[in-house]
Amino acid sequence: MTAHPHPATGLGRPLLSQDRVAGLTLIAVSAFALWASSDLATGTLRFIGPGLMPKLLATLVGATGIILLVLSFLHPGGAMPRIPLRGPLCVLGGILAFALTVQSVGFAIAAPLLAIIAGLADREMRWLELLGFAAFMTVGCILVFKVGLNLPIPVLIIPGMVQY
Amino acid sequence: MDLMSNLALGFSTAMSFQNLGLAFIGCLVGTLIGILPGVGPIATITMLLPITFGIDPVGALIMLAGIYYGAQYGGSTSAILVNIPGEAGSVVTALDGHAMARKGRAGAALGISAIGSFIAGCIATVVIAALAVPLTDLALRFGPTDYFALMVMGLVFAVVLAHGSVLKAVAMILLGILLSTIGSDLETGQARMTFGSLHLADGIDFAVLAMGIFGFAEVLRNLEGGEQRDVIKGTMGPLLPTWDELRRSIAPILRGTGLGSVLGMLPGNGAVLAPFASYTLEKKLAKRPQDFGKGAIEAVAGPESANNAGAQTSFIPLLTLGIPPNAVMAIMVGAMMIQGIVPGPQVMTESPTLFWGMIASMWIGNLMLLVINLPLVGMWVRLLKVPYRLLFPAILIFSCIGIYSIDNNPMDVVFTGVFAIAGYLLIKMGFEPAPLLLGFVLGHLIEENLRRAMLLSRGDLSTFAENPLSLILLIVSAGLLALSALPALRAKREEVFVED
């Protein structure tokens, strides 16, 4: 599962080694969690409060981040790999479109939206094929999940007209 | 009740017409989804969870177990046919399995993996049945200190077993536990780090987190590659291995089963190590180790059996102790909770039909996979030829339906998307998501038991040292962690994971 950084395809700036970015991210997460849990009572060892675990863990995460950061200066390691934008943006966009429409308009709109927006992530996408496939998947899923399994997922809602 | 009458009860439950049908459908759809490239068992189970909602608890668990085995089997099938392992356990299978497929022996590779998995499944079922009663008795005597120490050991195992940097694995475990503290405090009910969001008050749902950082992040990674799928062309070859191949495979299957059964029981995802350990062992014992990596049948038979045995015995910590040893078992916890069953030592005593029925269905599931999958190989090959640009929208739609249906809440889908991006970035930074998930899974239990232990000992930390069991477990954990930092062992660990 580990991505192997290739120095050649990295961002090209030696300042941004993978471990350095990793360390800084952990420190940022730790600081954020410490801030978010600052309102929680720590309590005592005998009566541990709600805040002890979050604060302790946030501190430890920060500590590993600092160690990673320090080590990244001693051993530069691989560069941070390039992060493409197209794939993540299309997929996230599709997922959000699904989440926004599934309950208000229904699955019959949400599913093709997800398939088409996410489908744009692939450079080899062909419009006709994608549209046809989206329609096929939508009908198939309605038959399986709504008709067959009777899941309470709304299929199509047009206020005052259709409610299925 | 002794072992035989327990198993008899189990089989009479699992053999009912309805439950046999559910096991069959579970195995079939589990394989169907699990075979999709880059879709591992966790994503498969999450996607298919909603189809079990309308069924009674026993039937639902039997179907889920079927889905799980189907997903496992589907993973090895795509590893052999396309060289894209769906999960860590199939990585080893891909080495020689795919090499065999290229030589026109794909049929035999699939056949031996099915036969090996079946034998491993049979033996592992007996192991589970035999160990269930004594381990449950032991678990009932565990106090909070013991539980805490056991889970610490599980997390240390996860660090030792993670690939790459130990420091990064530790960071992921800690981050996982930190994420698990989001939501209402278990004792005071106070909202923790929820930012006033009602949705976060119940905590982060495990399925949402797992689907995001495992399932969707994997889709994002696959999209990058301009992937080259190497589906075998030409002949599959006969599905049955030759007598000579069978003869050579028997010993590796049995050794793999032994290794897998033992490693699978370890907390902290020991099962993931089983195929690697089996591969290394078989290579050491082989008469012609130079054939390994070029399509040696022993290198498919052993690791596949180890994988399957481990997949099955990893139910033991879940069913007896209530501690999920890996992320797949954590999904099972979620599925059981939806059915109103809290996994732990009380399941066996309170609902023996369910407990033994599930164990018997494990064996039935393995038999069904053998019977239904081999004839369907042609269909799986066709499915694998569908291009990824169409597969991934399908994977996304199934996943979104699955996530939405868990709670009928679109916010869950949004969170999954956010976790997907986070998981993708973590992978880019060289972090592995598996330890994070395990930390998250064990987080609640760790905090609960720590607080209980501290309350009982009046805030005295030495309670962990005074209790012999927890002392031993903590010493073992500390020793393992120290060892894994040693340069010599680190090199060895790299070697195990980067075989050839």
Side-chain angles (χ1 to χ4, degrees), chain A residues 1-3 18-19 21-23 25-26 29-30 32-37 39-41 45-55 57-58 60-61 64-65 67-68 71 80-84 87-89 91-92 95-96 98-100 102-103 107 111-112 114-116 118-122 124-126 129-130 133-134 137-138 141 144-145 149 151-154, chain B residues 47-48 50-51 53 163-165 167-168 170-175 177-178 181 185 187-188 190-193 195 213-214 216 218-221 223-224 226 386-398 400-401 404-405 408-411 413-414 416-418 420-421 424-433 443 446-447 450-451 454-455 458-461:
Chain A
M1 287 298 259
T2 321
Q18 196 191 37
D19 285 356
V21 176
T25 308
L26 289 180
V29 169
S30 158
F32 181 72
L34 280 175
W35 170 75
S37 60
D39 60 328
L40 301 168
L45 263 186
R46 182 167 177 185
F47 298 104
I48 291 177
L52 182 95
M53 285 294 272
K55 287 176 189 169
L57 289 160
L60 290 173
V61 168
T64 53
I67 300 175
L68 262 176
L71 287 179
M80 185 69 193
R82 186 186 299 275
I83 296 174
L89 282 181
V91 170
L92 187 64
I95 293 171
L96 292 181
F98 181 93
L100 283 175
V102 69
Q103 222 158 30
F107 180 76
L114 167 60
I116 292 165
L120 296 174
D122 200 308
E124 289 166 32
M125 183 271 304
R126 296 165 205 168
E129 184 188 67
L130 185 59
F133 186 74
M137 279 297 298
T138 308
C141 285
V144 172
F145 292 101
L149 291 164
L151 287 186
I153 185 166
Chain B
M47 273 186 231
L48 295 174
I51 68 175
F53 284 174
H163 311 213
S165 153
L167 193 61
K168 283 183 173 174
V170 171
M172 283 299 98
I173 296 252
L174 294 170
L175 191 59
I177 309 179
L178 181 62
T181 63
D185 179 55
E187 275 165 31
T188 64
Q190 194 181 347
R192 301 199 285 189
M193 300 189 276
F195 309 102
I213 68 170
F214 254 111
F216 286 0
E218 189 62 32
V219 169
L220 293 178
R221 248 159 53 94
L223 275 174
E224 249 175 55
V386 176
Y388 197 69
R389 62 173 188 276
L390 295 181
L391 277 183
F392 85 87
I395 293 171
L396 290 176
I397 291 180
F398 287 141
C400 284
I401 296 176
Y404 171 78
S405 299
N408 291 317
N409 190 342
M411 266 317 274
V413 181
V414 175
T416 314
V418 173
I421 302 294
Y424 182 63
L425 293 177
L426 285 176
I427 294 171
K428 286 284 177 194
M429 290 177 220
F431 290 110
E432 245 195 295
I446 285 187
E447 182 176 11
L450 176 67
R451 285 165 85 163
M454 284 298 100
L455 202 61
R458 296 157 200 242
D460 187 0
L461 281 171

Side-chain angles (χ1 to χ4, degrees), chain B residues 216-433:
Chain B
F216 286 0
E218 189 62 32
V219 169
L220 293 178
R221 248 159 53 94
N222 284 341
L223 275 174
E224 249 175 55
E227 57 126 30
Q228 296 292 313
R229 235 183 315 156
D230 186 11
V231 186
I232 58 136
K233 297 165 191 78
T235 172
M236 292 279 297
L239 279 173
L240 282 180
T242 62
W243 276 116
D244 180 52
E245 284 172 329
L246 263 183
R247 195 181 46 73
R248 279 176 20 215
S249 301
I250 289 294
I253 288 175
L254 294 177
R255 282 192 292 262
T257 305
L259 273 173
S261 299
V262 174
L263 289 171
M265 278 184 268
L266 295 179
N269 206 8
V272 78
L273 191 66
F276 293 95
S278 165
Y279 190 87
T280 314
L281 178 71
E282 293 312 324
K283 198 172 177 181
K284 285 226 169 77
L285 294 175
K287 287 197 194 90
R288 292 175 52 80
Q290 64 271 33
D291 286 350
F292 274 56
K294 295 177 194 133
I297 197 152
E298 296 92 338
V300 180
E304 264 303 286
S305 314
N307 194 14
N308 205 45
Q312 211 152 328
T313 53
S314 57
F315 270 105
I316 292 180
L318 176 68
L319 292 175
T320 58
L321 297 166
I323 300 178
N326 56 37
V328 183
M329 287 300 125
I331 279 281
M332 291 304 250
V333 175
M336 290 169 94
M337 298 284 234
I338 289 172
Q339 297 287 348
I341 307 154
V342 182
Q346 73 289 344
V347 175
M348 190 173 78
T349 42
E350 280 168 19
S351 29
T353 335
L354 180 129
F355 185 86
W356 295 105
M358 188 165 165
I359 288 179
S361 79
M362 293 175 179
W363 183 80
I364 295 174
N366 278 295
L367 180 65
M368 277 186 179
L369 282 176
L370 188 66
V371 177
I372 61 180
N373 275 315
L374 290 182
L376 289 177
V377 160
M379 194 172 104
W380 303 145
V381 174
R382 270 207 293 281
L383 186 63
L384 284 170
K385 284 185 177 153
V386 176
Y388 197 69
R389 62 173 188 276
L390 295 181
L391 277 183
F392 85 87
I395 293 171
L396 290 176
I397 291 180
F398 287 141
S399 307
C400 284
I401 296 176
I403 291 293
Y404 171 78
S405 299
I406 291 174
D407 226 5
N408 291 317
N409 190 342
M411 266 317 274
D412 283 336
V413 181
V414 175
F415 271 93
T416 314
V418 173
F419 286 130
I421 302 294
Y424 182 63
L425 293 177
L426 285 176
I427 294 171
K428 286 284 177 194
M429 290 177 220
F431 290 110
E432 245 195 295

Side-chain angles (χ1 to χ4, degrees), chain B residues 16 72 76 100 150 171 179 211 219 256 279 302 317-318 331 342 355 385 403 435 457 468 472-473 483:
Chain B
S16 80
Q72 285 275 347
S76 347
M100 278 181 78
L150 188 65
L179 283 175
M211 189 55 118
V219 169
Y279 190 87
L318 176 68
I331 279 281
V342 182
F355 185 86
K385 284 185 177 153
I403 291 293
S457 72
I472 294 170
L473 291 171
L483 277 177

